[in-house]
Amino acid sequence: MSGLMGYIRLEMIRTVRDGGYVIFGIAMPVVMYLVFTNLGLAPGDRHYAAVFTMVSMAAYGALGGAFNNGTGIAEDRAAGWLRQLRLTPLTPAQVVTGKVVTGVAGVVPSIAAVLLTGALVNHVTLAPGQWLSIVGLLWAGTIPFSLLGLGNGYRLTGQTAAMANVATLLSLSIIGGLWVPTTGFPGWLRAISGWTPSNSYASLSWHIAFGEAPTLREVAILCGWLVAFGLYAVYGYRRAARTA
Amino acid sequence: MDSNAVSLTSVTKNFGPVRAVDGLTLAIPRGRTVALLGPNGAGKSTTIGMLLGLVPPDSGHVSLFGHDPERAVRLGEVGAMPQEGGLIPRVTVGELLSFVGGTYAAPLPLGQVLALAQIADLPDRRVDKLSGGQAQRVRFAMALIGDPELIVLDEPTAALDVEARREFWAGMRGLASKGKTILFSTHYLDEADEQADRVVVINRGRVVADGTSAEIKRVVALTTVSVTAGGEVAWLGRLPGVRRLEVRGDRVRLRSSDPDATVMALAEAGAVRNLEVTPADLEDAFVALTAKETV
Ligand SMILES: Nc1ncnc2c1ncn2[C@@H]1O[C@H](COP(=O)(O)OP(=O)(O)OP(=O)(O)O)[C@@H](O)[C@H]1O
Ligand SMILES: [Mg+2]
């Protein structure tokens, strides 16, 4: 058991010292949030913009953290670290658990940083229940994206995996309406956006933030992608295990 | 309890058309230090990979201390250093080693391992900022920190300078004297000769010689018997024990598998002039062994 805790600790240390994580996962979303809301680039009145963009950017940051974790797997494999782990008494289940725990914990600072900025700088006020629901949904909703990132990490080599994950992060963020709201999109793009996992993911929390109930359609779409990305991650892992 | 630390029985591994390991059988009793010696591509790393449960054999059986490799690794009976890799960025040497130690039930104290691997001055250094030789020592320390019964090292001294190599072997002898079983691969013949109780020479995936270095030399290496001779010398090549004849000016070099008999025959023929007998070295044995296979 102490082995698993030690592994989680080690992976956390590595994450915190990772410039890519700090920039893409924490600093950039906070900066973008402040820029969008204070330069009048966000939609609606100031309060609406502060709330809407807070959710967008927290979602964007969380996705950044989730994909970064997947990129780390590819680097680990290239460095022979996965093999080194197999030479310790840790079981494969412990290794995977450790990586998932680190990934799941790693998105918390991203979400917290943007929400805190919203509350403290942009004076967003929500009911405690709303805050809790948003944190919970933004947190749990990263699982499909973590799986997609892991799938890329297992399937691709170091550099390629990093590129693939950044490209996926950016396209999902943009098409999903995290950077610019989909209301400004042409009709066809808005239709596509409605089917993306990123738009469904953020929509759940947008609804909560404006006192509405999330729709079943969003939950169903996100769950569909969860299954698809889960299969992809398993496929990637099998391939990686064969060629390692 | 199984008295063998390592037991490989007829293991074979193909990579596509390449037969990396070909029906290899090897048993290492507990407490021995064994060198795996062979040229590039001989199958040393593949053999070690199968022994550690990293590479599944196509056929044959592997057991460590009487159970399968994965289980032996889980039980902390094995510590290993692969030929390359295993270091990750953004952690310090101390953090990395503490983590690895923490996965074992009864690890050695960090300070002891740092001293053993000669990296006592490096615990706070980032792993990605190490020189090649320092990195190698950290990888070595990872293999030792769990205090395993079996230590497997794939080319442990490849990146070390002469001084570091000497200290490294001093440390290994200390571990061997505590009853640890050590298996290492190397290209360095002198190292196999000096450090191992037993040398297993492999080539093209097969064991081509197995014994103490003295035994291997005796079996395959040819002693050189040189004399000065003039005129017709072909008859010297037919003397007992002589396998090969080389003429350099007026010197004749006889490669002999039985130097006593050769010298005796030279004396009877009255041909002993400026006699010189040079014993075989392991290098010759190694070349003889591996060359035989490649023709
Ligand atoms: N993953 C792999 N895929 C394909 N071929 C491989 C693989 N690993 C090893 N081989 C081949 O198997 C043979 C044995 O390789 P191995 O790495 O075991 O040799 P070695 O004795 O360790 O050599 P070296 O001294 O160069 O480290 C070589 O011909 C090598 O090219
Ligand atoms: Mg090798």
Side-chain angles (χ1 to χ4, degrees), chain A residues 2-3 7 10 14 17-18 79-81 83 86-90 92, chain B residues 53-54 73-74 84-88 90-91 95-96 99 102-104 126:
Chain A
S2 81
Y7 179 50
L10 188 81
R14 293 179 64 203
R17 290 181 190 156
D18 178 4
W81 177 240
R83 181 181 50 201
R86 281 177 68 184
L87 293 174
T88 70
L90 286 179
Chain B
L54 296 174
V73 170
R74 300 288 161 263
E84 58 198 9
L87 296 181
I88 41 168
R90 300 190 297 278
V91 294
E95 287 164 350
L96 182 64
F99 154 67
T103 64
Y104 288 81
R126 286 282 183 93

PDB file of all heavy atoms in Angstrom, chain A residues 2-3 7 10 14 17-18 79-81 83 86-90 92, chain B residues 53-54 73-74 84-88 90-91 95-96 99 102-104 126:
ATOM      1  N   SER A   2       1.950   1.224   0.807  1.00  0.00           N
ATOM      2  CA  SER A   2       2.815   2.397   0.851  1.00  0.00           C
ATOM      3  C   SER A   2       3.463   2.617  -0.514  1.00  0.00           C
ATOM      4  O   SER A   2       3.786   3.736  -0.889  1.00  0.00           O
ATOM      5  CB  SER A   2       3.887   2.229   1.920  1.00  0.00           C
ATOM      6  OG  SER A   2       4.942   1.444   1.428  1.00  0.00           O
ATOM      7  N   GLY A   3       3.617   1.509  -1.264  1.00  0.00           N
ATOM      8  CA  GLY A   3       4.169   1.622  -2.612  1.00  0.00           C
ATOM      9  C   GLY A   3       3.284   2.459  -3.508  1.00  0.00           C
ATOM     10  O   GLY A   3       3.756   3.351  -4.211  1.00  0.00           O
ATOM     11  N   TYR A   7       3.964   6.078  -5.166  1.00  0.00           N
ATOM     12  CA  TYR A   7       3.871   6.292  -6.609  1.00  0.00           C
ATOM     13  C   TYR A   7       3.029   7.529  -6.900  1.00  0.00           C
ATOM     14  O   TYR A   7       3.399   8.370  -7.721  1.00  0.00           O
ATOM     15  CB  TYR A   7       3.282   5.051  -7.282  1.00  0.00           C
ATOM     16  CG  TYR A   7       3.143   5.200  -8.772  1.00  0.00           C
ATOM     17  CD1 TYR A   7       4.211   5.647  -9.540  1.00  0.00           C
ATOM     18  CD2 TYR A   7       1.952   4.909  -9.411  1.00  0.00           C
ATOM     19  CE1 TYR A   7       4.098   5.801 -10.905  1.00  0.00           C
ATOM     20  CE2 TYR A   7       1.826   5.056 -10.780  1.00  0.00           C
ATOM     21  CZ  TYR A   7       2.899   5.506 -11.527  1.00  0.00           C
ATOM     22  OH  TYR A   7       2.774   5.669 -12.874  1.00  0.00           O
ATOM     23  N   LEU A  10       5.026  10.590  -6.096  1.00  0.00           N
ATOM     24  CA  LEU A  10       6.045  10.863  -7.113  1.00  0.00           C
ATOM     25  C   LEU A  10       5.419  11.492  -8.357  1.00  0.00           C
ATOM     26  O   LEU A  10       5.935  12.459  -8.911  1.00  0.00           O
ATOM     27  CB  LEU A  10       6.754   9.555  -7.490  1.00  0.00           C
ATOM     28  CG  LEU A  10       7.975   9.696  -8.397  1.00  0.00           C
ATOM     29  CD1 LEU A  10       9.200  10.098  -7.582  1.00  0.00           C
ATOM     30  CD2 LEU A  10       8.251   8.406  -9.158  1.00  0.00           C
ATOM     31  N   ARG A  14       5.957  15.258 -10.067  1.00  0.00           N
ATOM     32  CA  ARG A  14       6.305  15.465 -11.476  1.00  0.00           C
ATOM     33  C   ARG A  14       5.303  16.399 -12.151  1.00  0.00           C
ATOM     34  O   ARG A  14       5.674  17.229 -12.975  1.00  0.00           O
ATOM     35  CB  ARG A  14       6.319  14.132 -12.209  1.00  0.00           C
ATOM     36  CG  ARG A  14       7.408  13.217 -11.756  1.00  0.00           C
ATOM     37  CD  ARG A  14       7.328  11.903 -12.518  1.00  0.00           C
ATOM     38  NE  ARG A  14       7.572  12.116 -13.939  1.00  0.00           N
ATOM     39  CZ  ARG A  14       7.154  11.299 -14.889  1.00  0.00           C
ATOM     40  NH1 ARG A  14       6.455  10.236 -14.592  1.00  0.00           N
ATOM     41  NH2 ARG A  14       7.435  11.548 -16.142  1.00  0.00           N
ATOM     42  N   ARG A  17       5.778  20.052 -11.192  1.00  0.00           N
ATOM     43  CA  ARG A  17       6.985  20.661 -11.766  1.00  0.00           C
ATOM     44  C   ARG A  17       6.942  20.719 -13.285  1.00  0.00           C
ATOM     45  O   ARG A  17       7.920  21.076 -13.921  1.00  0.00           O
ATOM     46  CB  ARG A  17       8.218  19.857 -11.328  1.00  0.00           C
ATOM     47  CG  ARG A  17       8.516  20.017  -9.856  1.00  0.00           C
ATOM     48  CD  ARG A  17       9.749  19.240  -9.481  1.00  0.00           C
ATOM     49  NE  ARG A  17       9.905  19.205  -8.032  1.00  0.00           N
ATOM     50  CZ  ARG A  17      10.580  18.268  -7.391  1.00  0.00           C
ATOM     51  NH1 ARG A  17      11.162  17.301  -8.070  1.00  0.00           N
ATOM     52  NH2 ARG A  17      10.673  18.295  -6.084  1.00  0.00           N
ATOM     53  N   ASP A  18       5.824  20.318 -13.856  1.00  0.00           N
ATOM     54  CA  ASP A  18       5.717  20.267 -15.312  1.00  0.00           C
ATOM     55  C   ASP A  18       5.211  21.603 -15.846  1.00  0.00           C
ATOM     56  O   ASP A  18       4.086  22.012 -15.585  1.00  0.00           O
ATOM     57  CB  ASP A  18       4.749  19.129 -15.689  1.00  0.00           C
ATOM     58  CG  ASP A  18       4.548  19.027 -17.193  1.00  0.00           C
ATOM     59  OD1 ASP A  18       5.209  19.788 -17.927  1.00  0.00           O
ATOM     60  OD2 ASP A  18       3.740  18.189 -17.612  1.00  0.00           O
ATOM     61  N   ALA A  79      10.733   6.813 -22.211  1.00  0.00           N
ATOM     62  CA  ALA A  79      11.865   6.869 -21.291  1.00  0.00           C
ATOM     63  C   ALA A  79      12.157   5.521 -20.642  1.00  0.00           C
ATOM     64  O   ALA A  79      13.087   5.403 -19.855  1.00  0.00           O
ATOM     65  CB  ALA A  79      11.598   7.911 -20.206  1.00  0.00           C
ATOM     66  N   GLY A  80      11.365   4.499 -20.954  1.00  0.00           N
ATOM     67  CA  GLY A  80      11.580   3.200 -20.316  1.00  0.00           C
ATOM     68  C   GLY A  80      11.062   3.155 -18.889  1.00  0.00           C
ATOM     69  O   GLY A  80      11.359   2.235 -18.133  1.00  0.00           O
ATOM     70  N   TRP A  81      10.265   4.154 -18.496  1.00  0.00           N
ATOM     71  CA  TRP A  81       9.784   4.236 -17.122  1.00  0.00           C
ATOM     72  C   TRP A  81       8.704   3.183 -16.859  1.00  0.00           C
ATOM     73  O   TRP A  81       8.642   2.598 -15.775  1.00  0.00           O
ATOM     74  CB  TRP A  81       9.260   5.640 -16.845  1.00  0.00           C
ATOM     75  CG  TRP A  81       8.659   5.842 -15.493  1.00  0.00           C
ATOM     76  CD1 TRP A  81       7.387   6.229 -15.231  1.00  0.00           C
ATOM     77  CD2 TRP A  81       9.314   5.700 -14.218  1.00  0.00           C
ATOM     78  NE1 TRP A  81       7.198   6.332 -13.877  1.00  0.00           N
ATOM     79  CE2 TRP A  81       8.355   6.014 -13.229  1.00  0.00           C
ATOM     80  CE3 TRP A  81      10.598   5.329 -13.821  1.00  0.00           C
ATOM     81  CZ2 TRP A  81       8.661   5.966 -11.865  1.00  0.00           C
ATOM     82  CZ3 TRP A  81      10.896   5.285 -12.475  1.00  0.00           C
ATOM     83  CH2 TRP A  81       9.933   5.604 -11.511  1.00  0.00           C
ATOM     84  N   ARG A  83       8.574   0.291 -18.132  1.00  0.00           N
ATOM     85  CA  ARG A  83       9.295  -0.969 -17.933  1.00  0.00           C
ATOM     86  C   ARG A  83       9.925  -1.003 -16.535  1.00  0.00           C
ATOM     87  O   ARG A  83       9.872  -2.013 -15.839  1.00  0.00           O
ATOM     88  CB  ARG A  83      10.374  -1.110 -19.003  1.00  0.00           C
ATOM     89  CG  ARG A  83      11.159  -2.401 -18.893  1.00  0.00           C
ATOM     90  CD  ARG A  83      12.222  -2.479 -19.955  1.00  0.00           C
ATOM     91  NE  ARG A  83      13.012  -1.254 -19.987  1.00  0.00           N
ATOM     92  CZ  ARG A  83      13.729  -0.851 -21.023  1.00  0.00           C
ATOM     93  NH1 ARG A  83      13.735  -1.558 -22.119  1.00  0.00           N
ATOM     94  NH2 ARG A  83      14.413   0.261 -20.960  1.00  0.00           N
ATOM     95  N   ARG A  86       7.483  -1.921 -14.064  1.00  0.00           N
ATOM     96  CA  ARG A  86       7.173  -3.359 -14.088  1.00  0.00           C
ATOM     97  C   ARG A  86       8.226  -4.175 -13.348  1.00  0.00           C
ATOM     98  O   ARG A  86       7.992  -5.335 -13.024  1.00  0.00           O
ATOM     99  CB  ARG A  86       7.072  -3.848 -15.535  1.00  0.00           C
ATOM    100  CG  ARG A  86       5.742  -3.492 -16.175  1.00  0.00           C
ATOM    101  CD  ARG A  86       5.688  -3.918 -17.616  1.00  0.00           C
ATOM    102  NE  ARG A  86       5.683  -5.366 -17.772  1.00  0.00           N
ATOM    103  CZ  ARG A  86       5.716  -5.975 -18.956  1.00  0.00           C
ATOM    104  NH1 ARG A  86       5.754  -5.263 -20.053  1.00  0.00           N
ATOM    105  NH2 ARG A  86       5.694  -7.281 -19.031  1.00  0.00           N
ATOM    106  N   LEU A  87       9.382  -3.577 -13.113  1.00  0.00           N
ATOM    107  CA  LEU A  87      10.443  -4.285 -12.393  1.00  0.00           C
ATOM    108  C   LEU A  87      10.386  -4.032 -10.892  1.00  0.00           C
ATOM    109  O   LEU A  87      11.203  -4.533 -10.140  1.00  0.00           O
ATOM    110  CB  LEU A  87      11.815  -3.870 -12.943  1.00  0.00           C
ATOM    111  CG  LEU A  87      12.070  -4.323 -14.385  1.00  0.00           C
ATOM    112  CD1 LEU A  87      13.376  -3.747 -14.911  1.00  0.00           C
ATOM    113  CD2 LEU A  87      12.097  -5.847 -14.466  1.00  0.00           C
ATOM    114  N   THR A  88       9.423  -3.217 -10.447  1.00  0.00           N
ATOM    115  CA  THR A  88       9.225  -3.029  -9.008  1.00  0.00           C
ATOM    116  C   THR A  88       8.088  -3.947  -8.574  1.00  0.00           C
ATOM    117  O   THR A  88       7.338  -4.440  -9.406  1.00  0.00           O
ATOM    118  CB  THR A  88       8.820  -1.582  -8.665  1.00  0.00           C
ATOM    119  OG1 THR A  88       7.488  -1.360  -9.147  1.00  0.00           O
ATOM    120  CG2 THR A  88       9.760  -0.566  -9.279  1.00  0.00           C
ATOM    121  N   PRO A  89       7.933  -4.149  -7.271  1.00  0.00           N
ATOM    122  CA  PRO A  89       6.838  -5.005  -6.808  1.00  0.00           C
ATOM    123  C   PRO A  89       5.431  -4.425  -7.030  1.00  0.00           C
ATOM    124  O   PRO A  89       4.445  -5.108  -6.768  1.00  0.00           O
ATOM    125  CB  PRO A  89       7.123  -5.150  -5.305  1.00  0.00           C
ATOM    126  CG  PRO A  89       8.585  -4.926  -5.176  1.00  0.00           C
ATOM    127  CD  PRO A  89       8.903  -3.876  -6.202  1.00  0.00           C
ATOM    128  N   LEU A  90       5.317  -3.197  -7.532  1.00  0.00           N
ATOM    129  CA  LEU A  90       3.979  -2.655  -7.821  1.00  0.00           C
ATOM    130  C   LEU A  90       3.257  -3.534  -8.837  1.00  0.00           C
ATOM    131  O   LEU A  90       3.865  -3.979  -9.803  1.00  0.00           O
ATOM    132  CB  LEU A  90       4.095  -1.252  -8.413  1.00  0.00           C
ATOM    133  CG  LEU A  90       4.458  -0.085  -7.507  1.00  0.00           C
ATOM    134  CD1 LEU A  90       4.535   1.192  -8.339  1.00  0.00           C
ATOM    135  CD2 LEU A  90       3.468   0.074  -6.383  1.00  0.00           C
ATOM    136  N   PRO A  92       0.437  -4.143 -11.934  1.00  0.00           N
ATOM    137  CA  PRO A  92      -0.051  -3.295 -13.029  1.00  0.00           C
ATOM    138  C   PRO A  92      -1.293  -2.500 -12.612  1.00  0.00           C
ATOM    139  O   PRO A  92      -1.431  -1.329 -12.963  1.00  0.00           O
ATOM    140  CB  PRO A  92      -0.396  -4.297 -14.131  1.00  0.00           C
ATOM    141  CG  PRO A  92       0.432  -5.486 -13.844  1.00  0.00           C
ATOM    142  CD  PRO A  92       0.601  -5.542 -12.354  1.00  0.00           C
TER     143      PRO A  92
ATOM    144  N   GLY B  53      10.498 -11.398 -16.982  1.00  0.00           N
ATOM    145  CA  GLY B  53       9.061 -11.368 -17.259  1.00  0.00           C
ATOM    146  C   GLY B  53       8.648 -10.177 -18.105  1.00  0.00           C
ATOM    147  O   GLY B  53       7.456  -9.870 -18.202  1.00  0.00           O
ATOM    148  N   LEU B  54       9.601  -9.480 -18.721  1.00  0.00           N
ATOM    149  CA  LEU B  54       9.252  -8.332 -19.560  1.00  0.00           C
ATOM    150  C   LEU B  54       8.943  -8.773 -20.980  1.00  0.00           C
ATOM    151  O   LEU B  54       8.147  -8.162 -21.671  1.00  0.00           O
ATOM    152  CB  LEU B  54      10.413  -7.328 -19.606  1.00  0.00           C
ATOM    153  CG  LEU B  54      10.805  -6.662 -18.296  1.00  0.00           C
ATOM    154  CD1 LEU B  54      12.058  -5.825 -18.492  1.00  0.00           C
ATOM    155  CD2 LEU B  54       9.674  -5.794 -17.772  1.00  0.00           C
ATOM    156  N   VAL B  73       9.121 -10.883  -9.057  1.00  0.00           N
ATOM    157  CA  VAL B  73       9.266  -9.425  -9.042  1.00  0.00           C
ATOM    158  C   VAL B  73       8.306  -8.816  -8.012  1.00  0.00           C
ATOM    159  O   VAL B  73       8.682  -7.957  -7.221  1.00  0.00           O
ATOM    160  CB  VAL B  73       9.026  -8.828 -10.449  1.00  0.00           C
ATOM    161  CG1 VAL B  73       8.934  -7.313 -10.391  1.00  0.00           C
ATOM    162  CG2 VAL B  73      10.143  -9.247 -11.397  1.00  0.00           C
ATOM    163  N   ARG B  74       7.056  -9.289  -7.990  1.00  0.00           N
ATOM    164  CA  ARG B  74       6.064  -8.779  -7.013  1.00  0.00           C
ATOM    165  C   ARG B  74       6.524  -9.021  -5.579  1.00  0.00           C
ATOM    166  O   ARG B  74       6.248  -8.239  -4.685  1.00  0.00           O
ATOM    167  CB  ARG B  74       4.713  -9.491  -7.157  1.00  0.00           C
ATOM    168  CG  ARG B  74       4.013  -9.373  -8.468  1.00  0.00           C
ATOM    169  CD  ARG B  74       3.428  -8.009  -8.736  1.00  0.00           C
ATOM    170  NE  ARG B  74       3.191  -7.886 -10.155  1.00  0.00           N
ATOM    171  CZ  ARG B  74       4.033  -7.292 -11.007  1.00  0.00           C
ATOM    172  NH1 ARG B  74       5.135  -6.710 -10.579  1.00  0.00           N
ATOM    173  NH2 ARG B  74       3.762  -7.261 -12.287  1.00  0.00           N
ATOM    174  N   GLU B  84      19.081   0.111 -20.915  1.00  0.00           N
ATOM    175  CA  GLU B  84      18.943   1.568 -20.992  1.00  0.00           C
ATOM    176  C   GLU B  84      17.575   1.996 -20.468  1.00  0.00           C
ATOM    177  O   GLU B  84      16.684   1.180 -20.302  1.00  0.00           O
ATOM    178  CB  GLU B  84      19.122   2.044 -22.432  1.00  0.00           C
ATOM    179  CG  GLU B  84      18.124   1.397 -23.372  1.00  0.00           C
ATOM    180  CD  GLU B  84      18.537   1.494 -24.827  1.00  0.00           C
ATOM    181  OE1 GLU B  84      19.667   1.913 -25.097  1.00  0.00           O
ATOM    182  OE2 GLU B  84      17.714   1.143 -25.682  1.00  0.00           O
ATOM    183  N   GLY B  85      17.460   3.295 -20.216  1.00  0.00           N
ATOM    184  CA  GLY B  85      16.167   3.868 -19.835  1.00  0.00           C
ATOM    185  C   GLY B  85      15.818   3.649 -18.380  1.00  0.00           C
ATOM    186  O   GLY B  85      16.586   3.081 -17.599  1.00  0.00           O
ATOM    187  N   GLY B  86      14.640   4.143 -18.009  1.00  0.00           N
ATOM    188  CA  GLY B  86      14.161   3.961 -16.648  1.00  0.00           C
ATOM    189  C   GLY B  86      14.243   5.209 -15.794  1.00  0.00           C
ATOM    190  O   GLY B  86      13.850   5.193 -14.631  1.00  0.00           O
ATOM    191  N   LEU B  87      14.758   6.303 -16.366  1.00  0.00           N
ATOM    192  CA  LEU B  87      14.833   7.544 -15.590  1.00  0.00           C
ATOM    193  C   LEU B  87      13.805   8.534 -16.113  1.00  0.00           C
ATOM    194  O   LEU B  87      13.585   8.633 -17.317  1.00  0.00           O
ATOM    195  CB  LEU B  87      16.232   8.145 -15.688  1.00  0.00           C
ATOM    196  CG  LEU B  87      17.343   7.289 -15.088  1.00  0.00           C
ATOM    197  CD1 LEU B  87      18.675   7.997 -15.236  1.00  0.00           C
ATOM    198  CD2 LEU B  87      17.070   6.976 -13.630  1.00  0.00           C
ATOM    199  N   ILE B  88      13.167   9.247 -15.193  1.00  0.00           N
ATOM    200  CA  ILE B  88      12.139  10.197 -15.590  1.00  0.00           C
ATOM    201  C   ILE B  88      12.545  11.612 -15.204  1.00  0.00           C
ATOM    202  O   ILE B  88      13.229  11.810 -14.208  1.00  0.00           O
ATOM    203  CB  ILE B  88      10.798   9.867 -14.916  1.00  0.00           C
ATOM    204  CG1 ILE B  88      11.037   9.455 -13.457  1.00  0.00           C
ATOM    205  CG2 ILE B  88      10.058   8.814 -15.681  1.00  0.00           C
ATOM    206  CD1 ILE B  88       9.809   9.383 -12.640  1.00  0.00           C
ATOM    207  N   ARG B  90      12.156  15.677 -13.989  1.00  0.00           N
ATOM    208  CA  ARG B  90      11.441  16.468 -12.986  1.00  0.00           C
ATOM    209  C   ARG B  90      11.392  15.861 -11.596  1.00  0.00           C
ATOM    210  O   ARG B  90      10.583  16.277 -10.776  1.00  0.00           O
ATOM    211  CB  ARG B  90      10.005  16.804 -13.438  1.00  0.00           C
ATOM    212  CG  ARG B  90       9.932  17.599 -14.735  1.00  0.00           C
ATOM    213  CD  ARG B  90       8.542  18.104 -14.993  1.00  0.00           C
ATOM    214  NE  ARG B  90       7.574  17.047 -15.164  1.00  0.00           N
ATOM    215  CZ  ARG B  90       7.373  16.394 -16.299  1.00  0.00           C
ATOM    216  NH1 ARG B  90       8.093  16.671 -17.361  1.00  0.00           N
ATOM    217  NH2 ARG B  90       6.473  15.447 -16.374  1.00  0.00           N
ATOM    218  N   VAL B  91      12.218  14.843 -11.312  1.00  0.00           N
ATOM    219  CA  VAL B  91      12.321  14.371  -9.933  1.00  0.00           C
ATOM    220  C   VAL B  91      13.799  14.352  -9.560  1.00  0.00           C
ATOM    221  O   VAL B  91      14.665  14.289 -10.429  1.00  0.00           O
ATOM    222  CB  VAL B  91      11.731  12.960  -9.729  1.00  0.00           C
ATOM    223  CG1 VAL B  91      10.238  12.965  -9.943  1.00  0.00           C
ATOM    224  CG2 VAL B  91      12.400  11.949 -10.636  1.00  0.00           C
ATOM    225  N   GLU B  95      14.294  11.521  -4.444  1.00  0.00           N
ATOM    226  CA  GLU B  95      12.858  11.252  -4.573  1.00  0.00           C
ATOM    227  C   GLU B  95      12.613   9.955  -5.336  1.00  0.00           C
ATOM    228  O   GLU B  95      11.788   9.120  -4.949  1.00  0.00           O
ATOM    229  CB  GLU B  95      12.166  12.408  -5.309  1.00  0.00           C
ATOM    230  CG  GLU B  95      12.023  13.665  -4.474  1.00  0.00           C
ATOM    231  CD  GLU B  95      11.710  14.919  -5.304  1.00  0.00           C
ATOM    232  OE1 GLU B  95      11.792  14.857  -6.545  1.00  0.00           O
ATOM    233  OE2 GLU B  95      11.399  15.955  -4.697  1.00  0.00           O
ATOM    234  N   LEU B  96      13.359   9.792  -6.423  1.00  0.00           N
ATOM    235  CA  LEU B  96      13.191   8.607  -7.257  1.00  0.00           C
ATOM    236  C   LEU B  96      13.546   7.338  -6.484  1.00  0.00           C
ATOM    237  O   LEU B  96      12.780   6.363  -6.466  1.00  0.00           O
ATOM    238  CB  LEU B  96      14.076   8.739  -8.499  1.00  0.00           C
ATOM    239  CG  LEU B  96      13.988   7.599  -9.507  1.00  0.00           C
ATOM    240  CD1 LEU B  96      12.595   7.519 -10.097  1.00  0.00           C
ATOM    241  CD2 LEU B  96      15.014   7.787 -10.616  1.00  0.00           C
ATOM    242  N   PHE B  99      11.091   6.453  -3.712  1.00  0.00           N
ATOM    243  CA  PHE B  99       9.890   5.832  -4.259  1.00  0.00           C
ATOM    244  C   PHE B  99      10.133   4.354  -4.556  1.00  0.00           C
ATOM    245  O   PHE B  99       9.367   3.489  -4.135  1.00  0.00           O
ATOM    246  CB  PHE B  99       9.416   6.545  -5.530  1.00  0.00           C
ATOM    247  CG  PHE B  99       8.636   5.646  -6.436  1.00  0.00           C
ATOM    248  CD1 PHE B  99       7.388   5.164  -6.041  1.00  0.00           C
ATOM    249  CD2 PHE B  99       9.156   5.219  -7.650  1.00  0.00           C
ATOM    250  CE1 PHE B  99       6.677   4.282  -6.850  1.00  0.00           C
ATOM    251  CE2 PHE B  99       8.450   4.342  -8.459  1.00  0.00           C
ATOM    252  CZ  PHE B  99       7.209   3.870  -8.062  1.00  0.00           C
ATOM    253  N   GLY B 102      10.356   2.302  -1.544  1.00  0.00           N
ATOM    254  CA  GLY B 102       9.065   2.180  -0.876  1.00  0.00           C
ATOM    255  C   GLY B 102       8.153   1.104  -1.455  1.00  0.00           C
ATOM    256  O   GLY B 102       7.185   0.699  -0.811  1.00  0.00           O
ATOM    257  N   THR B 103       8.468   0.637  -2.655  1.00  0.00           N
ATOM    258  CA  THR B 103       7.639  -0.423  -3.227  1.00  0.00           C
ATOM    259  C   THR B 103       8.062  -1.799  -2.720  1.00  0.00           C
ATOM    260  O   THR B 103       7.362  -2.777  -2.944  1.00  0.00           O
ATOM    261  CB  THR B 103       7.703  -0.412  -4.779  1.00  0.00           C
ATOM    262  OG1 THR B 103       9.045  -0.708  -5.173  1.00  0.00           O
ATOM    263  CG2 THR B 103       7.289   0.930  -5.354  1.00  0.00           C
ATOM    264  N   TYR B 104       9.207  -1.873  -2.062  1.00  0.00           N
ATOM    265  CA  TYR B 104       9.692  -3.146  -1.502  1.00  0.00           C
ATOM    266  C   TYR B 104       9.360  -3.229  -0.018  1.00  0.00           C
ATOM    267  O   TYR B 104       9.212  -2.208   0.651  1.00  0.00           O
ATOM    268  CB  TYR B 104      11.205  -3.269  -1.676  1.00  0.00           C
ATOM    269  CG  TYR B 104      11.645  -3.504  -3.095  1.00  0.00           C
ATOM    270  CD1 TYR B 104      11.759  -2.438  -3.993  1.00  0.00           C
ATOM    271  CD2 TYR B 104      11.947  -4.780  -3.553  1.00  0.00           C
ATOM    272  CE1 TYR B 104      12.166  -2.650  -5.302  1.00  0.00           C
ATOM    273  CE2 TYR B 104      12.355  -5.009  -4.857  1.00  0.00           C
ATOM    274  CZ  TYR B 104      12.462  -3.937  -5.726  1.00  0.00           C
ATOM    275  OH  TYR B 104      12.863  -4.140  -7.020  1.00  0.00           O
ATOM    276  N   ARG B 126      18.445  16.917  -9.897  1.00  0.00           N
ATOM    277  CA  ARG B 126      17.387  16.454 -10.788  1.00  0.00           C
ATOM    278  C   ARG B 126      17.916  15.328 -11.684  1.00  0.00           C
ATOM    279  O   ARG B 126      19.028  15.443 -12.231  1.00  0.00           O
ATOM    280  CB  ARG B 126      16.907  17.598 -11.680  1.00  0.00           C
ATOM    281  CG  ARG B 126      16.064  18.619 -10.974  1.00  0.00           C
ATOM    282  CD  ARG B 126      14.635  18.125 -10.782  1.00  0.00           C
ATOM    283  NE  ARG B 126      13.846  19.173 -10.173  1.00  0.00           N
ATOM    284  CZ  ARG B 126      13.125  20.055 -10.880  1.00  0.00           C
ATOM    285  NH1 ARG B 126      13.065  19.967 -12.187  1.00  0.00           N
ATOM    286  NH2 ARG B 126      12.452  21.010 -10.280  1.00  0.00           N
TER     287      ARG B 126
END
